[in-house]
Amino acid sequence: MAFPFSHRKTTQALNFFARKSGGEIHKLKALKLVYFADRYHLRRYGRPITGDEYLAMPYGPVAAGAKDLAEMGDFLSDDERAYGAQFLAPVDRYTYRSAAEVAEKTLSESDRTAMEWTWQTFGAMERFQLAEYTHRYPEWKRHEAALEGKRETRVPMCYRDFLDDPEPGTEPCHPLSPEDRAALAAGIQERFEAENMLS
């Protein structure tokens, strides 16, 4: 992973979208909104909000850590579970609710800007509409054949691909000039190389 995963920011992003939805939200919709917020933030500010590991799955991109937090799943560490449970509570297999106000200090001003933009842009769409819309983006489309052919059910995605533009008529989640795209790609590459040197 090129970016460090922040379970606190991820928890608050999930909490933010639940509260925007009236206190309760379907997990599928929430995960698509987190993806769009990460895509926007990466393209505008040079880093994602969550730093999560993204997987291409049949219903679109999925942030693995966010999925675990929304489900209070078995893969969470003790710290992640304890923190997440303060703010998120599963309602059933598909839905979770907000259990507390968003901890604003956990989020930067740019994090909040990206999440507000995401809600204004995509919040009115229903979950399957959102999932279908994510299939337009190059970071998912490059894995479409493997997923549709049932060769894979989940494929790791690369943040570098988030910098590529989707098909015409699709919201890019912040436009990029060729120069901006090259600079952001170089920054991501530097992070990968630094991580590999430390591992």
Side-chain angles (χ1 to χ4, degrees):
M1 290 171 62
F3 297 94
F5 173 59
S6 171
H7 70 273
R8 291 174 181 266
K9 284 178 181 277
T10 304
T11 295
Q12 296 308 329
L14 290 165
N15 193 25
F16 174 90
F17 291 124
R19 296 190 77 81
K20 284 288 190 181
S21 296
E24 188 173 302
I25 190 169
H26 194 283
K27 177 184 66 180
L28 178 62
K29 179 170 182 174
L31 291 173
K32 299 312 150 206
L33 294 173
V34 169
Y35 156 70
F36 282 122
D38 268 343
R39 188 177 216 274
Y40 177 93
H41 201 284
L42 177 68
R43 289 169 66 93
R44 184 169 181 185
Y45 301 108
R47 66 161 175 85
I49 296 169
T50 67
D52 210 342
E53 177 187 6
Y54 271 89
L55 302 171
M57 298 179 71
Y59 285 109
V62 174
K67 180 177 183 291
D68 290 338
L69 284 162
E71 296 172 342
M72 285 292 134
D74 295 336
F75 296 107
L76 296 174
S77 69
D78 291 343
D79 286 347
E80 291 168 346
R81 184 180 303 280
Y83 184 80
Q86 296 177 57
F87 299 94
L88 309 174
V91 174
D92 55 35
R93 183 178 172 188
Y94 304 105
T95 309
Y96 70 89
R97 64 176 176 82
S98 170
E101 294 281 343
V102 175
E104 296 286 350
K105 290 183 179 179
T106 304
L107 301 166
S108 69
E109 183 177 346
S110 63
D111 294 336
R112 292 191 293 273
T113 296
M115 291 190 295
E116 287 285 359
W117 177 89
T118 298
W119 182 254
Q120 291 299 319
T121 306
F122 297 108
M125 295 171 72
E126 63 92 21
R127 60 186 183 271
F128 291 117
Q129 186 182 11
L130 274 173
E132 187 67 26
Y133 198 82
T134 64
H135 290 183
R136 300 182 180 190
Y137 289 84
E139 56 267 34
W140 184 87
K141 285 188 79 67
R142 70 180 305 160
H143 305 296
E144 183 175 17
L147 292 168
E148 288 188 348
K150 304 277 194 277
R151 296 196 305 274
E152 304 282 354
T153 57
R154 56 181 65 199
V155 186
M157 297 169 67
C158 178
Y159 275 117
R160 165 59 186 84
D161 295 336
F162 285 43
L163 304 180
D164 292 336
D165 289 336
E167 59 192 59
T170 302
E171 171 56 59
C173 305
H174 191 68
L176 292 175
S177 69
E179 294 78 15
D180 290 339
R181 183 175 289 106
L184 289 168
I188 292 173
Q189 184 62 34
E190 287 175 11
R191 284 178 172 270
F192 272 120
E193 290 173 358
E195 182 182 33
N196 289 337
M197 286 175 63
L198 294 172
S199 61

